[in-house]
Amino acid sequence: MNRDINKLKEIAVEVRKNIIKMLTESQSGHPGGSLSAVEILTSLYFSEMKVDPNNPKWEDRDRFILSKGHAAPVLYAVLAEKGFFDKSELMTLRKIDSNLQGHPSIKNTPGVDMSTGSLGQGLSVANGMALAGKLDNKDYRVYILLGDGELEEGQVWEAAMTAAHYKLDNVTAFVDFNGLQIDGPCTQVMNVTPIADKFRAFGWNVIEIDGHDYNQIFDAIDKAKSTKGMPTMIVAKTVKGKGVSFMENQVGWHGTAPSKEQCEQALQELGGAING
């Protein structure tokens, strides 16, 4: 697939602008952890994963699970940019009868492979998809994005043990390691570090990267695909609120929507007018 990093950077800007716009329109949602994951999702959907917007349920597609389901705006913005549905739908975020609810729904939204939002469950589902692929002799891969605060959920570690036990080398997981969760720094709420050492101890191939560096993301994905007999965890160090100066590394922007004035400032920083 095409790995034109300049093009991906352009797509990332559009995705960030749409995240800000839809959250301003809905006046509800989670900007911080959506903005921190933009490079990871744009890498997957535009340069790595086998998906078909015209056939979202294609049996041989690669799967993606947004385990940190509250970051739905980044997934919706990427799916719309990819062509799974019209971008105009983004402005219906969290509205009654919208296909774009506050957390992803496999029933409502084209391109969503799993309903998520109850934290800790995504990796278990990814394991099931990966096992099914092996049993059916399919070559699809399963990608998953977890939050760092989400790692405080015990089910994550049951799933981590399971993936290693069954040698699920068709699972590639990312941790969005931005260091902040709803109640403050992860190390103060419930220290999950050292993340990499924990997954290594559970039998995973572990790669640590800058989650905003496309070259590092692609290098990690390639290493994951070439690793046999064990799943891969990519620990991606990121910045919560990335791309908007007043949101970066600010825990208050975990689940707060911008005002119209803040939206205008954010879009100006990103290079686009509020109606652009």
Side-chain angles (χ1 to χ4, degrees):
M1 285 190 176
N2 186 6
R3 290 184 172 181
D4 184 337
I5 290 177
N6 288 329
K7 180 62 176 175
L8 287 170
K9 288 179 178 179
E10 292 175 6
I11 294 170
V13 169
E14 292 305 307
V15 167
R16 284 193 164 93
K17 286 162 61 176
N18 282 326
I19 290 169
I20 295 298
K21 290 179 189 177
M22 73 174 95
L23 288 169
T24 303
E25 176 67 23
S26 69
Q27 278 303 288
S28 178
H30 298 78
S34 296
L35 293 167
S36 62
V38 169
E39 281 77 16
I40 294 170
L41 266 72
T42 52
S43 296
L44 290 174
Y45 276 93
F46 290 93
S47 294
E48 185 57 39
M49 290 171 55
K50 297 181 299 182
V51 294
D52 182 358
N54 296 315
N55 186 12
K57 299 296 185 183
W58 177 36
E59 191 174 304
D60 294 325
R61 73 190 184 281
D62 291 329
R63 275 72 168 166
F64 175 77
I65 298 175
L66 182 68
S67 193
K68 45 174 274 180
H70 55 278
V74 66
L75 178 58
Y76 296 156
V78 167
L79 290 175
E81 197 72 33
K82 186 69 175 177
F84 281 90
F85 49 84
D86 194 89
K87 290 183 187 179
S88 63
E89 282 197 53
L90 295 175
M91 296 304 108
T92 71
L93 176 69
R94 288 178 171 245
K95 290 181 168 53
I96 293 175
D97 296 327
S98 171
N99 288 328
L100 308 181
Q101 289 302 307
H103 295 77
S105 170
I106 193 172
K107 293 183 177 180
N108 299 333
T109 313
V112 171
D113 289 318
M114 184 59 200
S115 301
T116 55
S118 184
L119 294 173
Q121 297 179 356
L123 186 53
S124 297
V125 177
N127 288 344
M129 291 177 175
L131 277 167
K134 286 185 175 291
L135 289 169
D136 292 339
N137 293 314
K138 300 286 188 180
D139 65 356
Y140 66 74
R141 299 188 63 79
V142 183
Y143 294 92
I144 176 172
L145 179 65
L146 302 104
D148 47 4
E150 182 180 8
L151 300 183
E152 296 161 13
E153 295 281 356
Q155 184 174 340
V156 171
W157 300 102
E158 295 178 23
M161 182 167 51
T162 300
H165 177 80
Y166 288 106
K167 305 184 188 315
L168 298 181
D169 49 19
N170 51 346
V171 169
T172 299
F174 289 82
V175 170
D176 184 358
F177 187 18
N178 60 47
L180 297 172
Q181 60 188 102
I182 190 169
D183 290 326
C186 297
T187 53
Q188 295 179 19
V189 177
M190 180 61 68
N191 193 358
V192 297
T193 60
I195 295 172
D197 289 347
K198 285 183 171 69
F199 277 96
R200 287 192 186 100
F202 272 74
W204 286 59
N205 173 45
V206 179
I207 305 167
E208 298 178 78
I209 65 168
D210 176 345
H212 302 301
D213 185 315
Y214 282 110
N215 287 312
Q216 291 188 36
I217 293 170
F218 289 134
D219 184 57
I221 290 172
D222 288 343
K223 287 177 179 176
K225 291 185 341 188
S226 66
T227 297
K228 303 304 178 185
M230 61 198 310
T232 293
M233 172 58 71
I234 300 171
V235 181
K237 189 71 181 74
T238 60
V239 175
K240 195 148 190 160
K242 177 70 173 179
V244 179
S245 62
F246 58 89
M247 292 185 179
E248 289 190 356
N249 288 316
Q250 298 299 312
V251 71
W253 287 104
H254 174 88
T256 302
S259 66
K260 184 174 180 180
E261 292 73 25
Q262 290 168 326
C263 175
E264 290 173 344
Q265 180 183 344
L267 292 175
Q268 186 175 22
E269 290 184 14
L270 291 167
I274 192 166
N275 295 317

